[in-house]
Amino acid sequence: MRAICYGLALLVAGACLWIALSVAHAHGPAEWIQRGGFKNAAGELCCGERDCFGLTDADVKITSAGYYVVSIKETVPFSEATPTWPGAEYSYWRCQWGGSRKCFFAPLTSGWMNAKIRFAQLVGYTGTL
């Protein structure tokens, strides 16, 4: 009888641990956004997995106006982008509520890219850099 109680206690403890771990990692690849408490300029939380998704490098083009997301035909101004967390699964992330963008994450640009962007803006170039 004692062995059955011990086995049942272990089973219940294991189930509780499994539930706790699955809840802790419920946000998946976008968990870093939720845990970081990132907010947009309006002070709204970016949130996590259900609100944010990664974008491939091929889907984002850098232009003089900002980051152009090809799949949704949206330009995100450089001033509205937040640096992507090092080691994130994707380089670019877009968070949305109700279909509208709340946050956009992009890798830090190099000094050379910043110079190209400034030059393109000065001369009025609107193509892809």
Side-chain angles (χ1 to χ4, degrees):
M1 184 68 163
R2 179 171 255 176
I4 292 173
C5 288
Y6 180 70
L8 186 58
L10 271 175
L11 182 64
V12 169
C16 289
L17 181 63
W18 179 78
I19 290 169
L21 289 175
S22 63
V23 169
H25 294 289
H27 283 86
E31 183 177 6
W32 66 272
I33 297 171
Q34 190 252 348
R35 285 187 183 265
F38 292 99
K39 296 180 180 182
N40 62 15
E44 301 166 320
L45 284 171
C46 298
C47 208
E49 176 86 2
R50 291 183 185 93
D51 306 314
C52 302
F53 55 92
L55 300 163
T56 64
D57 291 351
D59 194 24
V60 180
K61 306 294 181 207
I62 299 175
T63 70
S64 60
Y67 300 96
Y68 180 71
V69 183
V70 177
S71 60
I72 56 175
K73 297 179 175 82
E74 175 188 44
T75 298
V76 180
F78 293 113
S79 62
E80 295 179 20
T82 301
T84 301
W85 193 262
E89 186 174 333
Y90 293 95
S91 299
Y92 299 95
W93 291 83
R94 185 180 189 275
C95 301
Q96 63 185 26
W97 293 338
S100 69
R101 176 177 41 85
K102 294 296 179 188
C103 299
F104 187 81
F105 295 86
L108 289 172
T109 55
S110 68
W112 172 242
M113 180 55 81
N114 288 336
K116 285 173 56 175
I117 292 165
R118 282 192 209 103
F119 180 75
Q121 290 169 335
L122 284 172
V123 299
Y125 179 74
T126 58
T128 301
L129 301 178

